[in-house]
Amino acid sequence: MLHDPNKVYVFDTTLRDGEQVPGCQLATHEKIEIAKALELLGVDIIEAGFPVSSPGDFNSVIELSKAVSNPIICALTRANKNDIDVAADALKYAKRPRIHTGIGSSDFHIKHKFNSTRDEILARGVEAVKYAKKYVEDVEFYAEDAGRADVEFLARMVEAVIAAGATVVNIPDTNGYCLPDQYGSKIRFLKENVSNIDKAIISVHCHNDLGLATANSIAGLQNGARQVECTINGIGERAGNTSMEEVVMILQTHKTLGLHTNIDATRFFEISHTVRSQMNMPVQPNKAIVGANAFSHSSGIHQDGFLKNRENYEIIKPEDVGFPSAAIVLTARSGRHALKHHLERLGHSPDKEQLAVLYTAFLDLADAKKDINDADLNQLVVTHLVKAGA
């Protein structure tokens, strides 16, 4: 497969894995709005749904296929003919269709989910890929629970499904189990021990049960994976999926990795708000990249350093991800420099002695009131400078 060896393909599953979150179900027109925003963002693949799961999902894949032109439209299936038939039907209007089929790869899943054997599971996986290949050229295979799978068996499975026609092999850490070095080593083992691995792209799909989804995804990319499966805001099953904005900004920030995407990161803030409002899924304020406090500074030491040079405490500029601006938040921990910054912003120019008076009064106010706003600052000036005759 010919492709830029340093390009990371961004596979968005906000509308499939992300929508599985209780209370986050979307109507088709809402999915289309998000899909169009994802297209503008520059994602390479949109996983539009799991067509056999419901008439709504089936219809959404059809309508998304009509609504967007550039991204590959992907439909999820299990490793059975009926799922694949339904997915192929749902993808009939897609300009660039992909069927995403697969089966469990860990001994735990093989025994306790399928009550089967390694050989039987391997045969079912190969059969599913061959069957999907009759409908579309682009077939992705997922080896579910690969994070806990025996690496020798996983390599056998990957080699077999690539031979059957898989163009992408997805190595999911389905339960968010792996440590980054374990997951990276698993990807590296496949790169070095699967004879036909150059005929497919390795994809990483990591869950966040232990808070390691982003770290594991980066470890996978460092070891040869070139597709990352992720969601906006990191939404998804249980503790969520890999956060797209985190992975993309890590790659942009750490140029020495030598990897790049087609993502227009300046659209992250806007699409984050679209997803959180459409899905009624709040984003924690301290969430990396898109959280409300991601570019807020409240510690006096940090504020002073930031005001002297923003790079003292910011490795990403707010505008790089479409964030309105960095914020110097006034709290009881803020210093004179931060207070002076805000007073000057409001048109006040206190001298050193006046600032000392205002700062003492400000600390008393900040201890009593959590949010200090512009009206409070103006009142401080009126009370302690104007009325005092300063």
Side-chain angles (χ1 to χ4, degrees):
M1 179 176 286
L2 294 175
H3 61 92
D4 178 350
N6 297 317
K7 181 190 173 180
V8 173
Y9 294 84
V10 176
F11 177 114
D12 179 86
T13 187
T14 302
L15 299 175
R16 200 279 298 169
D17 213 332
E19 206 219 5
Q20 291 175 197
V21 177
C24 288
Q25 284 69 32
L26 298 173
T28 297
H29 73 275
E30 293 171 321
K31 284 192 173 185
I32 289 172
E33 180 183 347
I34 292 174
K36 287 182 174 179
L38 290 169
E39 182 173 33
L40 288 172
L41 186 65
V43 304
D44 301 285
I45 305 100
I46 296 175
E47 189 163 49
F50 183 10
V52 81
S53 67
S54 73
D57 249 30
F58 179 87
N59 187 56
S60 290
V61 175
I62 287 178
E63 296 305 320
L64 261 66
S65 297
K66 295 176 182 177
V68 301
S69 301
N70 294 322
I72 292 167
I73 298 297
C74 178
L76 185 73
T77 82
R78 294 163 297 186
N80 68 61
K81 290 183 177 180
N82 182 59
D83 277 27
I84 294 168
D85 288 337
V86 173
D89 192 24
L91 287 166
K92 60 190 174 187
Y93 296 107
K95 291 82 174 172
R96 301 168 68 199
R98 174 184 292 181
I99 291 176
H100 189 189
T101 191
I103 201 164
S105 62
S106 70
D107 288 331
F108 198 91
H109 274 217
I110 291 168
K111 180 179 179 181
H112 298 291
K113 182 176 177 180
F114 297 102
N115 190 28
S116 188
T117 66
R118 286 183 175 184
D119 287 344
E120 287 176 1
I121 290 294
L122 193 62
R124 286 175 62 179
V126 167
E127 183 183 12
V129 171
K130 287 181 177 177
Y131 192 71
K133 199 78 173 178
K134 293 178 181 179
Y135 286 113
V136 296
E137 177 57 34
D138 190 5
V139 176
E140 178 171 343
F141 179 84
Y142 63 84
E144 191 175 11
D145 202 25
R148 295 190 295 175
D150 173 74
V151 72
E152 299 277 356
F153 174 68
L154 185 62
R156 274 182 62 205
M157 177 178 269
V158 168
E159 190 163 300
V161 297
I162 293 173
T167 49
V168 180
V169 286
N170 177 10
I171 311 300
D173 187 21
T174 306
N175 296 290
Y177 171 75
C178 289
L179 296 172
D181 65 315
Q182 294 171 333
Y183 189 70
S185 295
K186 191 159 281 194
I187 300 299
R188 174 57 54 191
F189 184 89
L190 297 176
K191 286 289 288 184
E192 293 176 349
N193 292 278
V194 174
S195 63
N196 55 2
I197 199 68
D198 61 318
K199 293 182 170 59
I201 292 171
I202 298 179
S203 183
V204 293
H205 179 117
C206 299
H207 280 261
N208 206 38
D209 299 69
L210 293 174
L212 292 169
T214 295
N216 283 336
S217 294
I218 294 296
L221 296 176
Q222 286 177 298
N223 283 279
R226 286 297 178 267
Q227 178 177 289
V228 59
E229 308 196 4
C230 45
T231 61
I232 299 297
N233 299 338
I235 64 172
E237 286 275 352
R238 304 182 312 279
N241 287 58
T242 302
S243 167
M244 185 199 297
E245 57 274 12
E246 292 173 12
V247 169
V248 169
M249 294 314 295
I250 288 169
L251 298 186
Q252 280 194 202
T253 303
H254 289 274
K255 304 290 189 188
T256 55
L257 291 173
L259 301 174
H260 62 90
T261 71
N262 282 348
I263 297 296
D264 178 2
T266 63
R267 294 183 177 273
F268 273 140
F269 185 75
E270 181 181 7
I271 196 169
S272 171
H273 272 270
T274 299
V275 169
R276 75 178 75 173
S277 60
Q278 293 279 36
M279 291 189 162
N280 193 28
M281 184 75 170
V283 173
Q284 65 195 62
N286 63 324
K287 165 76 174 66
I289 314 301
V290 293
N293 292 344
F295 297 95
S296 295
H297 306 269
S298 66
S299 159
I301 295 171
H302 284 219
Q303 290 174 337
D304 180 66
F306 174 81
L307 290 167
K308 288 172 177 171
N309 186 324
R310 67 187 301 164
E311 290 185 28
N312 280 324
Y313 287 102
E314 278 190 1
I315 57 170
I316 301 167
K317 295 178 182 176
E319 55 267 31
D320 290 346
V321 294
F323 215 93
S325 66
I328 300 296
V329 181
L330 290 176
T331 71
R333 293 169 301 284
S334 297
R336 284 176 172 77
H337 197 168
L339 179 61
K340 185 170 184 283
H341 164 78
H342 277 287
L343 290 170
E344 289 177 344
R345 179 178 60 79
L346 294 171
H348 307 296
S349 303
D351 59 28
K352 192 172 181 179
E353 290 181 2
Q354 291 171 332
L355 182 62
V357 171
L358 289 173
Y359 185 65
T360 300
F362 160 76
L363 288 179
D364 290 337
L365 181 62
D367 277 334
K369 189 172 189 276
K370 283 186 178 180
D371 298 314
I372 307 297
N373 56 38
D374 289 354
D376 294 325
L377 295 179
N378 284 324
Q379 188 59 46
L380 275 180
V381 172
V382 169
T383 301
H384 296 280
L385 294 188
V386 177
K387 286 184 178 178

